[in-house]
Amino acid sequence: METQQAPTTGRKRMPRAERERQILAVAEQVFAADGYQGTSMDDIAARVGLSKPMLYEYFGSKEGLLLACLQRAKRELLEATTVAAAGAATPEQLLHDCLLAFFKFSDDHAQAWALLRNESAVPSSSVSSELESIRMQQMEFTSGLMSAARPDLDPVQLEAFAEAIIGACERLALWRDRRPEITAEQATGHLMALFAPSLTPAP
C-alpha cells in the first residue's frame, strides 16, 4: 500500500541568529528615522513580520533592542577600523584609513552616532554605559595604533592623543550634520592636516 506524504505548508522557519540580524537591521532604520522616543515596537514588529510579543521575547524591551543595535554597531566599528588598519603601509596611511573607516561607518549607522552626540535623547544609564564603552573601545584601539607609530610616547601621552582623536571625530561628525555637503573623505582630510604631524617623532 502506497503511503502519501502530507504536503508542507507555511513559510520555512528562519534561524534565530538570522532573525535577530534582520530585526536589528530594521530597528536601526526605524530608530534613525523616528528617534528613540518616536519609535514603536509595533512598527518594528510589523516591518519584520513578527508579532510584538515575539519581538519582546527576542530583546525584552525597546531599550533592550536599542542596546542590541549599539552592541552590533560597536562590534562592526571595531571590525571596520581593524580591517582598515591592516591594509596600511605607513603611519600616515594608518591614521588616514582608520579615520575614513570611522566616518564611512558613521554614515552607514546614523542612529548610533546621533545618540553618541546627543545622549540626553535616551535617558538610560544602560544606554549611556554602552555608548561610553564604544568610545573606550575606539580609544584603546587608537592608542594601540599610536603606540606602534610613536613608540617614543609614554602611556599617558598615548592615551591623551587617542582621546583627542576620538573627541575630534565626534565633533566633526556633529559638524557634518550641519554641513551635509562635507564628505567622509573631506572630513578625513581635515583631521589628517591636524593630527598627521603628531605621527613624526620629535628630533
Short mmCIF file of all heavy atoms in Angstrom, two decimals, residues 90-96 99 146 149-150 161 165 188-202:
data_model
loop_
_atom_site.label_atom_id
_atom_site.label_comp_id
_atom_site.label_asym_id
_atom_site.label_seq_id
_atom_site.Cartn_x
_atom_site.Cartn_y
_atom_site.Cartn_z
N THR A 90 52.04 52.70 6.05
CA THR A 90 52.78 53.74 6.77
C THR A 90 51.91 54.27 7.91
O THR A 90 50.68 54.11 7.88
CB THR A 90 53.13 54.91 5.84
OG1 THR A 90 51.91 55.56 5.42
CG2 THR A 90 53.91 54.44 4.63
N PRO A 91 52.51 54.93 8.91
CA PRO A 91 51.70 55.52 9.98
C PRO A 91 50.67 56.53 9.45
O PRO A 91 49.54 56.58 9.95
CB PRO A 91 52.75 56.21 10.86
CG PRO A 91 53.99 55.42 10.64
CD PRO A 91 53.95 55.02 9.21
N GLU A 92 51.06 57.32 8.45
CA GLU A 92 50.12 58.30 7.89
C GLU A 92 48.93 57.61 7.23
O GLU A 92 47.78 58.01 7.40
CB GLU A 92 50.84 59.19 6.88
CG GLU A 92 51.85 60.16 7.46
CD GLU A 92 53.16 59.49 7.85
OE1 GLU A 92 53.40 58.30 7.46
OE2 GLU A 92 53.96 60.13 8.57
N GLN A 93 49.22 56.55 6.46
CA GLN A 93 48.12 55.82 5.83
C GLN A 93 47.26 55.13 6.88
O GLN A 93 46.04 55.04 6.73
CB GLN A 93 48.67 54.78 4.85
CG GLN A 93 47.56 54.07 4.06
CD GLN A 93 48.08 52.94 3.18
OE1 GLN A 93 49.29 52.71 3.10
NE2 GLN A 93 47.17 52.24 2.52
N LEU A 94 47.89 54.67 7.94
CA LEU A 94 47.16 54.02 9.03
C LEU A 94 46.12 54.96 9.62
O LEU A 94 44.94 54.62 9.76
CB LEU A 94 48.15 53.57 10.10
CG LEU A 94 47.58 52.84 11.33
CD1 LEU A 94 47.06 51.47 10.95
CD2 LEU A 94 48.66 52.72 12.40
N LEU A 95 46.58 56.17 9.96
CA LEU A 95 45.65 57.15 10.54
C LEU A 95 44.58 57.53 9.53
O LEU A 95 43.39 57.57 9.86
CB LEU A 95 46.43 58.40 10.98
CG LEU A 95 45.60 59.53 11.58
CD1 LEU A 95 44.87 59.06 12.83
CD2 LEU A 95 46.48 60.74 11.90
N HIS A 96 44.99 57.79 8.30
CA HIS A 96 44.03 58.18 7.26
C HIS A 96 42.95 57.12 7.06
O HIS A 96 41.75 57.42 7.06
CB HIS A 96 44.76 58.43 5.95
CG HIS A 96 43.86 58.72 4.79
ND1 HIS A 96 43.24 57.72 4.06
CD2 HIS A 96 43.44 59.89 4.26
CE1 HIS A 96 42.49 58.26 3.12
NE2 HIS A 96 42.59 59.57 3.21
N LEU A 99 40.56 56.78 10.10
CA LEU A 99 39.63 57.91 10.18
C LEU A 99 38.55 57.78 9.11
O LEU A 99 37.36 57.99 9.39
CB LEU A 99 40.38 59.23 10.00
CG LEU A 99 41.31 59.66 11.13
CD1 LEU A 99 42.12 60.88 10.72
CD2 LEU A 99 40.53 59.95 12.41
N MET A 146 48.63 54.22 17.80
CA MET A 146 49.60 55.28 18.05
C MET A 146 50.87 54.74 18.67
O MET A 146 51.97 55.21 18.40
CB MET A 146 48.98 56.34 18.97
CG MET A 146 47.87 57.18 18.34
SD MET A 146 48.48 58.26 17.02
CE MET A 146 49.55 59.36 17.95
N ALA A 149 53.02 53.52 15.96
CA ALA A 149 53.58 54.61 15.14
C ALA A 149 54.56 55.48 15.92
O ALA A 149 55.51 56.01 15.36
CB ALA A 149 52.44 55.48 14.59
N ARG A 150 54.30 55.64 17.23
CA ARG A 150 55.14 56.50 18.08
C ARG A 150 55.57 55.76 19.33
O ARG A 150 55.10 56.04 20.44
CB ARG A 150 54.36 57.77 18.46
CG ARG A 150 54.08 58.75 17.33
CD ARG A 150 55.34 59.49 16.90
NE ARG A 150 56.04 60.09 18.03
CZ ARG A 150 55.76 61.31 18.51
NH1 ARG A 150 54.80 62.04 17.94
NH2 ARG A 150 56.43 61.81 19.53
N PHE A 161 46.54 61.44 23.33
CA PHE A 161 46.41 61.57 21.88
C PHE A 161 45.17 60.83 21.38
O PHE A 161 44.42 61.34 20.55
CB PHE A 161 47.67 61.01 21.19
CG PHE A 161 48.81 61.97 21.12
CD1 PHE A 161 49.02 62.93 22.10
CD2 PHE A 161 49.73 61.89 20.08
CE1 PHE A 161 50.09 63.80 22.04
CE2 PHE A 161 50.80 62.77 20.00
CZ PHE A 161 50.99 63.73 20.99
N ILE A 165 41.87 62.34 19.45
CA ILE A 165 41.43 61.90 18.13
C ILE A 165 39.97 61.47 18.16
O ILE A 165 39.17 61.84 17.28
CB ILE A 165 42.33 60.76 17.62
CG1 ILE A 165 43.73 61.31 17.31
CG2 ILE A 165 41.73 60.10 16.37
CD1 ILE A 165 44.75 60.23 17.00
N THR A 188 38.04 63.39 6.70
CA THR A 188 39.30 62.71 6.97
C THR A 188 40.49 63.61 6.65
O THR A 188 41.46 63.68 7.41
CB THR A 188 39.38 61.42 6.14
OG1 THR A 188 38.32 60.54 6.54
CG2 THR A 188 40.72 60.71 6.36
N GLY A 189 40.42 64.32 5.53
CA GLY A 189 41.50 65.21 5.14
C GLY A 189 41.73 66.32 6.15
O GLY A 189 42.88 66.68 6.46
N HIS A 190 40.65 66.87 6.71
CA HIS A 190 40.79 67.93 7.71
C HIS A 190 41.48 67.40 8.96
O HIS A 190 42.36 68.07 9.53
CB HIS A 190 39.42 68.49 8.07
CG HIS A 190 38.77 69.24 6.95
ND1 HIS A 190 39.44 70.16 6.17
CD2 HIS A 190 37.48 69.23 6.48
CE1 HIS A 190 38.61 70.68 5.26
NE2 HIS A 190 37.43 70.13 5.44
N LEU A 191 41.09 66.22 9.41
CA LEU A 191 41.73 65.67 10.62
C LEU A 191 43.17 65.24 10.35
O LEU A 191 44.03 65.33 11.24
CB LEU A 191 40.92 64.50 11.16
CG LEU A 191 39.64 64.86 11.92
CD1 LEU A 191 39.07 63.63 12.62
CD2 LEU A 191 39.90 65.96 12.96
N MET A 192 43.45 64.79 9.15
CA MET A 192 44.83 64.45 8.82
C MET A 192 45.72 65.68 8.88
O MET A 192 46.86 65.61 9.37
CB MET A 192 44.90 63.82 7.42
CG MET A 192 44.44 62.38 7.34
SD MET A 192 45.45 61.26 8.35
CE MET A 192 47.05 61.39 7.54
N ALA A 193 45.22 66.82 8.42
CA ALA A 193 46.01 68.05 8.48
C ALA A 193 46.31 68.42 9.93
O ALA A 193 47.37 68.97 10.23
CB ALA A 193 45.26 69.18 7.79
N LEU A 194 45.40 68.07 10.82
CA LEU A 194 45.58 68.40 12.24
C LEU A 194 46.48 67.41 12.94
O LEU A 194 47.37 67.80 13.71
CB LEU A 194 44.20 68.43 12.92
CG LEU A 194 44.18 68.73 14.42
CD1 LEU A 194 44.71 70.13 14.70
CD2 LEU A 194 42.76 68.58 14.97
N PHE A 195 46.28 66.11 12.70
CA PHE A 195 46.94 65.09 13.51
C PHE A 195 48.17 64.44 12.86
O PHE A 195 48.99 63.85 13.57
CB PHE A 195 45.94 63.98 13.86
CG PHE A 195 44.92 64.39 14.88
CD1 PHE A 195 43.57 64.37 14.56
CD2 PHE A 195 45.30 64.81 16.14
CE1 PHE A 195 42.62 64.75 15.50
CE2 PHE A 195 44.35 65.19 17.08
CZ PHE A 195 43.01 65.17 16.76
N ALA A 196 48.30 64.50 11.55
CA ALA A 196 49.42 63.81 10.91
C ALA A 196 50.79 64.25 11.44
O ALA A 196 51.67 63.39 11.60
CB ALA A 196 49.36 64.01 9.38
N PRO A 197 51.00 65.53 11.75
CA PRO A 197 52.32 65.90 12.31
C PRO A 197 52.68 65.17 13.60
O PRO A 197 53.85 64.99 13.91
CB PRO A 197 52.18 67.41 12.54
CG PRO A 197 51.17 67.85 11.53
CD PRO A 197 50.18 66.72 11.49
N SER A 198 51.67 64.73 14.35
CA SER A 198 51.95 64.04 15.61
C SER A 198 52.49 62.64 15.41
O SER A 198 52.96 61.99 16.35
CB SER A 198 50.67 63.98 16.46
OG SER A 198 49.71 63.11 15.88
N LEU A 199 52.45 62.14 14.16
CA LEU A 199 52.96 60.81 13.88
C LEU A 199 54.48 60.81 13.72
O LEU A 199 55.10 59.75 13.72
CB LEU A 199 52.31 60.26 12.60
CG LEU A 199 50.80 60.05 12.65
CD1 LEU A 199 50.29 59.58 11.29
CD2 LEU A 199 50.41 59.05 13.73
N THR A 200 55.08 61.99 13.58
CA THR A 200 56.52 62.08 13.41
C THR A 200 57.19 62.38 14.73
O THR A 200 56.89 63.40 15.36
CB THR A 200 56.88 63.19 12.40
OG1 THR A 200 56.21 62.94 11.17
CG2 THR A 200 58.38 63.26 12.18
N PRO A 201 58.08 61.51 15.20
CA PRO A 201 58.74 61.76 16.49
C PRO A 201 59.53 63.06 16.46
O PRO A 201 60.09 63.45 15.44
CB PRO A 201 59.67 60.55 16.64
CG PRO A 201 59.08 59.50 15.76
CD PRO A 201 58.46 60.23 14.60
N ALA A 202 59.55 63.74 17.59
CA ALA A 202 60.32 64.97 17.70
C ALA A 202 61.82 64.66 17.60
O ALA A 202 62.27 63.62 18.06
CB ALA A 202 60.04 65.65 19.03
#
